[in-house]
Amino acid sequence: DNASPVQPITVLGSTGSIGVSTLDVVARHPDRYSIYALTANTRVDLILPQIKAHQPRYAVMRDEQSAEALSLQLKAAGISGTEVLSGEQGLLTVASAEVVTSVMAAIVGSAGLAPTMAAVEAGKKVLLANKESLVMAGHLLMQAVQRSGATLLPIDSEHNAIFQCMPARYQSGESLGLAAEGVRKILLTGSGGPFRQTPLDQLAAMTPDQACAHPNWDMGRKISVDSATMMNKGLELIEACWLFDTGPEDIDIVVHPQSVIHSMVEYDDGSVLAQLGNPDMRTPIAHALAFPERIASGVPSLDIIATAQLDFEAPDYQRFPCLRLATEAVTTGATAMAILNAANEMAVQAFLDQRVRFTDIPVIIEHVLATMSLVEPSTLAVVQEQDLEARQIAAEFIKGSHKVTG
Ligand code: NAD
Ligand code: MG
């Protein structure tokens, strides 16, 4: 018979919001996909049931301590088919293993960069949720895609929508650029987050739980805070520039509170193509997993009658200074984007730990960007050095600002 072989998949960050949605889609198609490796930070209790359900060849934990704890639990449960690895080396191993066809890159933050790069360099089909890696090292990642022949498919709902609305040559990685393909501009939509209408003088008092209560999407805490500051849209602007080989001048940010349209592409003839759907990440995940085929994702049909209304607004740069900082960083180029990302990760963590206020986040990022000298991001090591320096400067500033705002 001519049945295609089952594809072994690595899920980096399997215990997170995207990881769980990925396993949900994979479990619907045992004839197509099997799990080669699952990875988590330190939560043994979360990865253990995933291992029982999917029987991967490998499980990777961030440190040796949690790897040992997992090994003991697997032994106690009588599971011997899964080998436990740890640390960055473990992630690199399962991201680039010969037999793996696709890698879901769903670790949050800069920790995702090295394994994502490893998957790209190994020429895998890379399903990219970890937008931070493109923000940090977009030039290097895109160069590596060209060199290795890897397929990079966006999981971020907006970029997945843009990809779906793009001309065929963009989808096959052979495009000559937006203008040559008759694309006039990209419309990047965003909900505006939980604080779109909060009175400005109340923003400083917003708590981590309020920031993480997103109106439309159920996500990890870091990206939820990014959505509340709209840094998420700023990171996505940078992500779109790298993915679609264009500049911020060709991308309009549009606030669309219902999150039913996931983004749009406008053509020279005035046509505007949009991708619509329920706000459920299993749609872009299923799209990228099966591309160029289509498979069921478990997402219910969009009830367009119940939706009834689609609203659009211009973004408010006064309310969301992070949008301005991200736009400036992509215009500046060099390591500005890596510094922006590192400072943002530090500021968001400090906010989640209640060491700084919500409105301190852009202040911290602006301070770090103003303090550092930029360099050309010519190698991954250079990017990682700048990332580290930005984190140190942010940490010092956060310590000091605590006394002032205390
Ligand atoms: P999450 O916090 O729910 O999950 C993060 C995953 O990464 C977990 O499995 C965690 O164990 C692992 N992890 C965290 N720190 C790690 C470290 N230092 N080393 C190794 N593993 C580590 O996050 P999420 O919401 O699933 O987001 C994951 C990525 O996808 C982010 O880059 C985010 O921006 C992007 N994304 C998420 C959504 C969404 O709907 N959740 C949408 C678009 C893009
Ligand atoms: Mg998004």
Side-chain angles (χ1 to χ4, degrees):
D1 63 78
N2 59 0
S4 351
V6 172
Q7 301 173 30
I9 291 176
T10 284
V11 183
L12 304 169
S14 64
T15 56
S17 161
I18 294 289
V20 167
S21 292
T22 303
L23 293 180
D24 181 284
V25 176
V26 164
R28 292 167 194 276
H29 303 281
D31 52 324
R32 286 179 171 256
Y33 311 113
S34 66
I35 296 296
Y36 178 78
L38 298 173
T39 89
N41 196 14
T42 54
R43 293 284 299 273
V44 171
D45 58 321
L46 295 181
I47 202 169
L48 189 62
Q50 296 186 332
I51 294 172
K52 287 180 180 164
H54 295 276
Q55 303 169 3
R57 175 75 189 82
Y58 290 102
V60 186
M61 302 302 289
R62 180 180 176 180
D63 52 44
E64 278 177 35
Q65 202 186 336
S66 33
E68 266 166 41
L70 177 60
S71 296
L72 286 176
Q73 298 250 14
L74 288 177
K75 199 175 261 175
I79 298 170
S80 59
T82 301
E83 194 174 323
V84 181
L85 307 176
S86 69
E88 186 167 283
Q89 192 50 53
L91 293 175
L92 299 182
T93 301
V94 299
S96 58
E98 186 77 39
V99 302
V100 167
T101 56
S102 306
V103 175
M104 166 57 79
I107 289 174
V108 60
S110 62
L113 175 57
T116 302
M117 183 60 104
V120 167
E121 281 176 339
K124 303 299 183 196
K125 178 169 171 178
V126 180
L127 283 44
L128 187 74
N130 176 235
K131 67 189 87 188
E132 293 91 347
S133 57
L134 264 186
V135 172
M136 292 175 74
H139 184 62
L140 295 170
L141 266 171
M142 298 312 289
Q143 259 182 354
V145 168
Q146 292 297 327
R147 255 200 325 268
S148 69
T151 305
L152 191 62
L153 294 169
I155 293 300
D156 214 344
S157 57
E158 296 77 5
H159 305 74
N160 185 271
I162 294 163
F163 182 91
Q164 293 195 46
C165 296
M166 278 290 194
R169 271 197 297 266
Y170 254 97
Q171 300 186 350
S172 56
E174 294 155 10
S175 119
L176 302 170
L178 292 187
E181 302 293 343
V183 174
R184 192 184 282 158
K185 65 179 178 194
I186 291 169
L187 295 115
L188 178 67
T189 57
S191 68
F195 302 150
R196 185 172 59 91
Q197 294 175 314
T198 306
L200 284 179
D201 61 359
Q202 291 178 19
L203 281 182
M206 292 297 125
T207 67
D209 283 344
Q210 286 171 310
C212 289
H214 196 280
N216 307 335
W217 299 94
D218 182 12
M219 312 182 286
R221 282 173 83 77
K222 192 267 178 178
I223 184 176
S224 294
V225 175
D226 284 346
S227 298
T229 61
M230 281 196 83
M231 179 56 97
N232 185 47
K233 216 45 57 185
L235 299 177
E236 290 184 358
L237 175 74
I238 298 169
E239 183 185 11
C241 288
W242 290 119
L243 281 174
F244 304 111
D245 190 20
T246 187
E249 63 283 353
D250 291 327
I251 303 174
D252 287 356
I253 294 173
V254 180
V255 173
H256 164 46
Q258 290 90 358
S259 300
V260 166
I261 290 180
H262 300 310
S263 278
M264 296 172 263
V265 173
E266 181 180 324
Y267 286 80
D268 282 338
D269 59 8
S271 297
V272 179
L273 302 194
Q275 188 262 3
L276 287 72
N278 286 314
D280 186 323
M281 292 305 292
R282 290 177 301 177
T283 293
I285 290 166
H287 168 267
L289 263 177
F291 180 81
E293 293 167 29
R294 296 276 178 172
I295 57 171
S297 66
V299 177
S301 285
L302 175 65
D303 187 339
I304 199 95
I305 306 291
T307 303
Q309 198 177 330
L310 301 177
D311 295 311
F312 304 96
E313 298 167 8
D316 181 344
Y317 285 83
Q318 191 202 345
R319 173 181 293 270
F320 299 114
C322 286
L323 265 184
R324 170 179 58 81
L325 292 171
T327 309
E328 285 170 4
V330 67
T331 307
T332 303
T335 42
M337 294 166 274
I339 295 168
L340 172 96
N341 178 68
N344 181 56
E345 287 189 24
M346 293 293 286
V348 169
Q349 192 56 54
F351 169 67
L352 285 171
D353 297 343
Q354 296 184 286
R355 285 180 282 131
V356 301
R357 296 171 305 189
F358 181 74
T359 45
D360 291 331
I361 294 172
V363 178
I364 295 163
I365 299 166
E366 190 148 31
H367 169 79
V368 176
L369 277 163
T371 307
M372 282 181 65
S373 334
L374 305 180
V375 297
E376 272 316 305
S378 47
T379 65
L380 216 52
V382 169
V383 172
Q384 280 159 342
E385 255 169 54
Q386 290 257 300
D387 172 89
L388 198 65
E389 187 182 342
R391 283 166 196 275
Q392 284 161 351
I393 294 167
E396 278 163 36
F397 187 68
I398 288 166
K399 246 190 257 162
S401 69
H402 188 63
K403 285 184 211 111
V404 182
T405 63

